[in-house]
Amino acid sequence: KNEVEQSPQNLTAQEGEFITINCSYSVGISALHWLQQHPGGGIVSLFMLSSGKKKHGRLIATINIQEKHSSLHITASHPRDSAVYICAVGGYETSGSRLTFGEGTQLTVNP
Amino acid sequence: NAGVTQTPKFQVLKTGQSMTLQCAQDMNHNSMYWYRQDPGMGLRLIYYSASEGTTDKGEVPNGYNVSRLNKREFSLRLESAAPSQTSVYFCASSELRGAVGEQYFGPGTRLTVT
């Protein structure tokens, strides 16, 4: 079993829909990251969080440390949100400076 | 600021050839990382450097060497390329020393070994 599991693997939505991507992990962590990989391949950090909730524009990330679970929500989705979303965890039981990555969720938003 | 830069963007090697992938960051970050990304798999850590002068193996270090030349630069060397090293390679950096901070990624190098 992978240390970081994401669901779903693939997600297709219509423009304007509310989207949720889930991430579950099996080890103790100091931080969880959400990353976005554009169709061209570039990777950008969206959020780093260790508790509660963070919001940036239409994106919201939440984490429940007790349940070892995080969600990434996109409100009012748009075709430009089409990308791969990657969850990663780091710290404590993941060997110090390292991040352990999920396989990613491919999101396609149709107009 | 350029952020994290990588060269080259694309490379084709023959089996047995060697090459060095270059990475530089201009954000004065302490930690730098090399990852590989293969289809159907998550990013996997090859080597990392938590601070200038130190390097450590990651999950998949075999067949690679690294050099933390100074605080800005972290290079990845393939001494004798193999087809299994065909992949997309990403360099990343973060501010925090010895802990995981927000990571900034380079644009990637697409390497094909024939």
Side-chain angles (χ1 to χ4, degrees):
Chain A
K1 186 179 186 301
N2 291 336
E3 288 183 343
V4 182
E5 297 274 357
Q6 287 185 236
S7 63
Q9 286 188 319
N10 294 283
L11 180 56
T12 300
Q14 288 300 120
E15 184 173 355
E17 286 184 358
F18 180 85
I19 288 162
T20 296
I21 299 170
N22 296 299
C23 176
S24 297
Y25 54 91
S26 58
V27 296
I29 66 168
S30 60
L32 182 142
H33 300 245
W34 281 103
L35 310 168
Q36 180 191 55
Q37 186 166 24
H38 299 294
I43 300 172
V44 296
S45 176
L46 297 175
F47 295 103
M48 184 181 70
L49 64 167
S50 55
S51 65
K53 175 174 156 177
K54 285 191 175 180
K55 185 174 188 290
H56 184 252
R58 295 180 295 106
L59 272 60
I60 303 165
T62 64
I63 188 168
N64 184 317
I65 296 292
Q66 286 74 29
E67 294 186 5
K68 293 187 167 64
H69 181 268
S70 176
S71 293
L72 176 68
H73 305 286
I74 305 175
T75 62
S77 59
H78 189 277
R80 65 174 174 266
D81 297 325
S82 298
V84 176
Y85 292 84
I86 301 168
C87 172
V89 299
Y92 296 153
E93 296 177 35
T94 62
S95 305
S97 295
R98 307 180 190 185
L99 285 179
T100 301
F101 295 82
E103 292 185 22
T105 294
Q106 174 70 62
L107 171 65
T108 303
V109 182
N110 294 318
Chain B
N1 288 348
V4 180
T5 57
Q6 290 182 236
T7 56
K9 286 190 169 50
F10 300 93
Q11 184 73 48
V12 179
L13 291 178
K14 289 185 166 39
T15 298
Q17 287 185 319
S18 63
M19 78 162 296
T20 300
L21 281 64
Q22 306 285 355
C23 174
Q25 51 90 10
D26 62 2
M27 297 172 282
N28 201 37
H29 284 173
N30 290 302
S31 299
M32 298 185 73
Y33 309 83
W34 276 106
Y35 297 100
R36 60 178 289 172
Q37 185 178 43
D38 301 296
M41 305 186 75
L43 287 155
R44 292 183 293 168
L45 182 65
I46 305 170
Y47 271 93
Y48 68 102
S49 170
S51 61
E52 186 180 355
T54 69
T55 60
D56 285 285
K57 294 179 181 179
E59 186 183 348
V60 287
N62 291 346
Y64 305 95
N65 285 301
V66 290
S67 294
R68 183 76 183 264
L69 303 168
N70 47 55
K71 194 170 186 181
R72 289 187 65 249
E73 298 171 289
F74 188 39
S75 62
L76 178 72
R77 182 158 179 85
L78 287 71
E79 290 291 352
S80 179
S84 60
Q85 294 177 305
T86 294
S87 188
V88 181
Y89 291 85
F90 289 95
C91 177
S93 69
S94 67
E95 183 179 5
L96 298 183
R97 181 196 303 267
V100 178
E102 183 178 358
Q103 297 208 352
Y104 294 79
F105 286 79
T109 295
R110 190 173 294 274
L111 174 67
T112 301
V113 183
T114 61

